[in-house]
Amino acid sequence: MKKIIFSTIVILLISVSCSKDFVEIPPVGVLDASTFFNTEENAEQALIGLYDLMQYNYAKDWSSAYFVKMLPGDDVNCGGGSATDQVPLVEINDYVNLSVSNPAVTSVWNLHYRTIALANTIIENVELSELSNKAAVLAEAKFMRAWCYFELTTMWGDVPLRLVNPSELSSEAFAIPKSPRSEIYAQVEADLTEAINGLPTRGALAQDFRVSKASAQALMGKVLVFQEKYSEALNYLESVISNPNYGLAATSEDVWSVDGEFGVESLLEIGFVATNAYDWGNVAWGGRMESNLHVQLMGPRGEFDIAPVGLLNGWGFNYPSAKLISAFESSGENARRSATIMTEQELVDAGGSVNSTDEDGNPVEIYGYDGAIRIKYATKDSDTSEGGIKELNYSVNWRLFRYAEVLFLAAEAYNKTGADDKAIIELNKVRSRAGLDALDNSLSGDALFEAMMQDKFLEFAHEGQRFWDLVRWGKASSELAGTGYTTKNDLFPIPITEIDLNAALTQDDQNPGY
């Protein structure tokens, strides 16, 4: 997704998340929203600005929602050079020392509220307009606001619900209390109802990266499953399952291939390009890059000779955990396993190697490495470009929401409503694609749920799903035993900057245990 929005994202007041800039620096060169939204073209540009901010939310070097959501799970180890490399990420991974001032957690909070601010600006102005594309613009903006609030309440619980931006840049105007999670969910459902009614079908999308009616239906289903409103959820999930424009990619490998981007399985996908020729002189540290730097962050470090398998070295974050490796080995040889991890023995058999000794032959720990490397979102030489530094120009898209998840959500809802036969049908679709045998039709109740939970662990490894599922299922304490996890980690701490600058919040509003 190339950025084609110039400075639209400064329309009126993106910075409604807390920062000193918000309360101390007057706006300079701000566009006048009351006149900007007089044309359909400008409204479209503002919508593209939302996607631009979403890209930043999930790709801001070491402070992205992609990293932050994934690290508490038991499918990954933080990795990096050592325990002192990117300490904020180590804190999230290790649970115990997670600080209220953790910059990665704070960044994700701020960036989501910034995206909400632009969505609010679009909604507030377009609702008053007579634009011919009014309904479609409102639907798309409300989908994005719903997505961001769902992410925020999943990670933080009760959060401030701001639907109108402050009318002035002052501490008083910024002050807003937390709203209960139930109110956040209600607003998300209201926004998604309008999104479903106003978004186009997939065939009518202006660009591949934009969300469709089915995207909103799928998200509504997910939101309702998270609230245990299973019967209601199935109304939406079944609509997506039966939609002929969506389905499973042919193979597990196809899901992650650059050739499969914005494919039949994609419901929300963040795009990247490899044509900007980034090098060490123009890489935008902390800024917006159009290539996917995270792929480089997650590539195996220099101790690995991985050229024989078509990979480039990276910076060693997010290695597969021992638990994930063991689960994949127990699943046997299958397409999903080979598209997700490669064990050390498999690497050696393919001509690669792992050097875990120093120059004197002494053993050296590769921090976070448990015996396998990632193939999903791997540093594939074929996924970058010759321009600039290859390692800085990966074009791999993030698949944030895909059809396979809809099948798992539907299976969960069927299981919880006593329709285990239907749950098995949906799970077997994904298992068949993975090259696995069908589940036994005799499975039911808790036994079927456990089978589903294990399959979802493997299908969505390294996608930031695992921890949040364990929390809502009440499984975190058992699955994460011995890791340092306690129930306080079910939610992230509200950033201390928010409490300091938001006059409607006090330390009593902090999440328990922080």
Side-chain angles (χ1 to χ4, degrees):
M1 170 182 54
K2 198 76 174 130
K3 282 199 293 270
I4 61 175
I5 176 108
F6 35 94
S7 49
T8 307
I9 57 172
V10 296
I11 300 175
L12 206 59
L13 344 27
I14 295 304
S15 297
V16 272
S17 61
C18 57
S19 71
K20 282 188 173 293
D21 289 352
F22 180 86
V23 295
E24 294 180 357
I25 300 175
V28 176
V30 172
L31 297 173
D32 185 351
S34 65
T35 58
F36 182 85
F37 289 99
N38 286 345
T39 70
E40 286 82 0
E41 180 183 3
N42 283 356
E44 280 289 304
Q45 289 183 348
L47 285 176
I48 301 302
L50 277 176
Y51 289 94
D52 184 55
L53 289 177
M54 284 285 286
Q55 184 192 64
Y56 195 36
N57 293 349
Y58 292 89
K60 184 187 176 187
D61 48 54
W62 290 273
S63 297
S64 75
Y66 180 80
F67 266 173
V68 167
K69 286 189 68 181
M70 182 159 45
L71 287 172
D74 54 359
D75 49 335
V76 302
N77 298 326
C78 180
S82 69
T84 60
D85 187 0
Q86 298 302 325
V87 171
L89 300 181
V90 175
E91 285 185 4
I92 298 168
N93 185 79
D94 291 351
Y95 307 107
V96 179
N97 296 314
L98 183 56
S99 165
V100 297
S101 57
N102 183 287
V105 171
T106 299
S107 173
V108 174
W109 172 282
N110 288 345
L111 290 175
H112 277 78
Y113 272 109
R114 190 193 314 195
T115 308
I116 288 166
L118 179 55
N120 286 345
T121 295
I122 295 169
I123 293 164
E124 181 179 359
N125 287 276
V126 172
E127 280 183 336
L128 300 174
S129 76
E130 299 297 329
L131 298 178
S132 62
N133 59 346
K134 175 178 178 177
V137 170
L138 290 175
E140 207 159 352
K142 289 187 176 184
F143 175 93
M144 290 302 177
R145 184 167 70 179
W147 178 276
C148 289
Y149 270 123
F150 182 48
E151 290 280 68
L152 286 166
T153 198
T154 298
M155 290 184 271
W156 281 277
D158 301 345
V159 297
L161 179 62
R162 191 184 302 279
L163 302 178
V164 178
N165 293 340
S167 58
E168 60 183 50
L169 296 178
S170 68
S171 297
E172 293 75 18
F174 177 69
I176 184 172
K178 293 198 302 184
S179 291
R181 178 179 270 176
S182 59
E183 292 184 15
I184 305 298
Y185 278 139
Q187 183 59 50
V188 168
E189 290 180 40
D191 279 349
L192 288 176
T193 297
E194 294 198 38
I196 290 167
N197 292 332
L199 284 171
T201 61
R202 183 168 201 165
L205 291 177
Q207 290 97 9
D208 286 342
F209 62 80
R210 298 175 79 161
V211 292
S212 70
K213 179 185 184 76
S215 305
Q217 290 171 321
L219 183 56
M220 179 73 94
K222 182 173 181 175
V223 170
L224 291 168
V225 167
F226 271 51
Q227 297 175 78
E228 301 182 0
K229 298 179 180 178
Y230 301 115
S231 296
E232 293 177 52
L234 284 167
N235 293 328
Y236 296 96
L237 298 171
E238 287 172 346
S239 293
V240 180
I241 292 170
S242 63
N243 188 324
N245 292 311
Y246 295 89
L248 292 174
T251 71
S252 296
E253 184 178 1
D254 288 341
V255 178
W256 314 110
S257 165
V258 292
D259 295 331
E261 290 176 348
F262 301 118
V264 66
E265 195 160 335
S266 177
L267 288 161
L268 178 59
E269 189 166 325
I270 301 297
F272 298 92
V273 296
T275 55
N276 280 30
Y278 292 115
D279 57 36
W280 299 116
N282 65 11
V283 60
W285 298 116
R288 293 191 183 91
M289 290 180 62
E290 292 301 311
S291 64
N292 192 338
L293 183 64
H294 280 55
V295 172
Q296 172 66 9
L297 298 181
M298 298 189 300
R301 292 173 67 87
E303 297 93 342
F304 295 82
D305 176 14
I306 49 179
V309 294
L311 302 181
L312 301 175
N313 290 112
W315 300 333
F317 288 90
N318 286 353
Y319 287 119
S321 69
K323 182 174 182 178
L324 180 68
I325 297 166
S326 176
F328 266 119
E329 290 181 333
S330 297
S331 75
E333 297 293 334
N334 58 74
R336 179 163 62 194
R337 169 182 165 168
S338 62
T340 308
I341 68 166
M342 177 181 288
T343 66
E344 184 169 322
Q345 187 59 56
E346 289 167 339
L347 175 61
V348 171
D349 291 344
S353 63
V354 181
N355 180 13
S356 55
T357 60
D358 62 20
E359 59 186 13
D360 297 321
N362 299 313
V364 175
E365 176 190 18
I366 302 175
Y367 185 69
Y369 175 65
D370 284 338
I373 60 174
R374 244 177 342 83
I375 298 302
K376 181 185 290 188
Y377 290 137
T379 44
K380 294 180 181 178
D381 191 15
S382 58
D383 291 347
T384 184
S385 71
E386 296 295 339
I389 302 296
K390 296 188 76 171
E391 290 83 351
L392 300 179
N393 289 280
Y394 289 102
S395 64
V396 181
N397 290 355
W398 284 151
R399 279 69 160 177
L400 295 187
F401 199 17
R402 55 191 181 94
Y403 182 85
E405 186 178 356
V406 173
L407 300 182
F408 274 95
L409 290 166
E412 181 178 347
Y414 284 133
N415 172 252
K416 294 298 185 181
T417 55
D420 289 331
D421 55 335
K422 293 182 178 180
I424 289 174
I425 289 172
E426 303 309 329
L427 293 174
N428 280 342
K429 292 176 183 178
V430 187
R431 290 179 63 85
S432 176
R433 194 260 301 275
L436 295 168
D437 293 336
L439 291 172
D440 191 320
N441 287 330
S442 67
L443 278 176
S444 63
D446 290 344
L448 177 57
F449 183 85
E450 291 293 324
M452 181 210 70
M453 188 173 77
Q454 184 68 1
D455 253 349
K456 194 171 187 183
F457 179 40
L458 301 180
E459 177 69 26
F460 293 95
H462 297 276
E463 294 184 54
Q465 299 268 18
R466 174 66 171 176
F467 178 75
W468 313 100
D469 278 341
L470 292 179
V471 169
R472 69 185 181 87
W473 290 333
K475 298 284 189 178
S477 292
S478 57
E479 292 291 322
L480 302 174
T483 64
Y485 161 86
T486 67
T487 54
K488 90 168 192 177
N489 302 116
D490 289 352
L491 299 173
F492 285 139
I494 295 175
I496 190 61
T497 47
E498 182 75 26
I499 292 176
D500 287 346
L501 293 173
N502 185 341
L505 299 181
T506 70
Q507 183 55 37
D508 290 340
D509 294 302
Q510 182 57 270
N511 283 329
Y514 293 104

